[in-house]
């Protein structure tokens, strides 16, 4: 078993009690991970060792800690955490927290781990809000609805950057709802957020949201993976993350179309929807919207991610 392998490999160092420095331990586990085909071997090893030594990254450790011998307790702890990595558990779940746009969020499996691309979606929303007339932003708002809040990454980043904003965050999974709630409290942002369990595919679900609206913006990183692509996901994802957070149905559009159908009922006139999607979705969403003129929505902009792939959509409501 992977765990047994990790333990056995560690025994080779038992002749060096008290002499193992953080740097040597990082090197050891990097090699073990590489031999076992664990992705991001060095990063995984560095994050785990840094975490046990009380830092976020290996580079941010005081240099003296790189060379000082580790205690048996620290070594034991590193061994336990690295054994989990050998079982392909994502580092974010092993460490139990992860940073998103400078906010440290608690991470608990199987709630979706926020991805770096999503930071760009938040950035785009912030840019758009800043462009609004100053009086509008300063007085109250915006009021934002986030569909599928997961750990709360998007909602809490927006709240922390926009001091007048308020957010309604919904997710169909109870684990996500309670993790967003916990993260909001940890970050002292609970006063401006309403977190509701809600399945946006359920009949008449928008009626539960009406009392909180109308909203200025709808933001979502919905499940958008094409069902046929689900089999290609890495073991880290398939074995630990909630697949409900990823599987968007046949063309990845199942939840996207529900959000687009729901949003016009809740949005202010000329309100906006910002979505993170697959590269095939700009075209699919555009033609789907053309088939639904009754929604009075148009795709007004597409943005590329840091890899140059079209991954973010801005859809706007227009007057009927
Ligand atoms: C890709 S994750 C995004 C999580 C978080 N917003 C982020 O970016 O890290 C999608 C989220 O949508 C939620 N979800 C899936 N289907 C849903 C539905 N029908 N109604 C509401 N939420 C849903 C999942 O539980 C999951 O938390």
């Amino acid at each position: 078993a992977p765990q047994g392998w990790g333990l056995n490999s560690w025994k080779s160092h038992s002749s060096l009690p008290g002499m193992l420095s953080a740097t040597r331990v990082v090197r050891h586990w990097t090699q073990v991970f590489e031999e076992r085909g664990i992705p991001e071997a060095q990063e995984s090893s560095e994050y785990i060792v840094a975490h046990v030594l009380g830092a976020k990254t290996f580079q941010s450790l005081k240099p003296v800690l790189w060379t000082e011998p580790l205690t048996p307790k620290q070594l034991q702890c590193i061994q336990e955490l690295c054994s989990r990595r050998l079982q392909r558990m994502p580092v974010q779940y092993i460490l139990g927290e992860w940073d998103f746009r400078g906010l440290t969020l608690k991470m608990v499996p199987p709630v979706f781990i926020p991805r770096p691309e999503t930071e760009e979606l938040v950035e785009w929303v912030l840019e758009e809000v800043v462009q609004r007339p100053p009086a509008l932003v300063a007085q109250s708002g915006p009021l934002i609805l986030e569909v599928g809040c997961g750990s709360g990454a998007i909602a809490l980043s927006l709240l922390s950057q926009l001091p007048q904003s308020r957010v309604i965050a919904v997710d169909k999974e109870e684990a996500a709802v309670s993790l967003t709630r916990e993260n909001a409290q940890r970050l002292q942002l609970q006063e401006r957020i309403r977190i509701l369990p809600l399945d946006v595919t359920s009949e008449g679900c928008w009626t539960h949201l009406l009392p909180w609206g109308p909203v200025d913006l709808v933001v979502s990183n919905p499940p958008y993976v094409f069902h046929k692509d689900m089999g290609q996901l890495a073991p880290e994802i398939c074995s630990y993350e909630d697949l409900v957070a990823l599987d968007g149905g046949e063309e990845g559009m199942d939840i996207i179309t529900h959000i687009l159908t729901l949003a016009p009922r809740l949005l202010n006139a000329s309100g906006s929807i910002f979505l993170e999607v697959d590269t095939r979705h700009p075209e699919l969403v555009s033609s789907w919207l053309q088939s639904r003129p009754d929604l009075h929505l148009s795709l007004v902009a597409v943005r590329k991610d840091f890899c140059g792939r079209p991954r973010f959509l801005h859809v706007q409501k227009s007057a009927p």
Side-chain angles (χ1 to χ4, degrees), residues 112 114 118 146 148-150 171-173 198-200 221 223 244-245 255:
F112 187 82
T118 308
E146 192 204 349
C149 54
D171 202 293
K172 75 181 253 193
E173 295 301 319
L198 189 83
D199 180 344
V200 293
N221 171 20
V244 159
I255 307 300

Side-chain angles (χ1 to χ4, degrees), residues 100 105 107 110-115 118-119 121-122 146-155 170-177 180 196-202 205 219-225 241-247 254-255 258-259 276:
F100 182 87
L105 300 169
M107 295 287 119
V111 180
F112 187 82
I113 297 164
R115 308 298 204 261
T118 308
E119 299 194 6
L121 175 72
V122 173
E146 192 204 349
V147 176
C149 54
S151 63
I154 297 176
V170 304
D171 202 293
K172 75 181 253 193
E173 295 301 319
E174 195 47 56
V177 167
T180 295
L196 311 169
L198 189 83
D199 180 344
V200 293
T201 66
S202 64
C205 71
V219 186
S220 185
N221 171 20
Y224 58 73
V225 178
E241 289 191 292
D242 189 352
L243 299 183
V244 159
L246 294 138
D247 192 344
D254 285 6
I255 307 300
H258 276 95
I259 294 170
E276 179 173 327

Side-chain angles (χ1 to χ4, degrees), residues 33 38-49 51 56 81-82 84-85 88-98 107 113 236 240:
F33 290 152
I38 304 296
E40 297 173 345
Q42 184 170 340
E43 291 87 341
S44 300
S45 177
E46 285 184 352
Y47 272 124
I48 290 170
V49 172
H51 176 76
K56 281 203 171 146
L81 300 184
C82 287
R84 291 185 207 162
R85 187 70 194 105
R88 303 296 293 255
M89 183 182 263
V91 157
Q92 292 87 340
Y93 289 152
I94 296 173
L95 306 182
E97 56 182 35
W98 197 245
M107 295 287 119
I113 297 164
E236 276 80 358
Y240 293 95

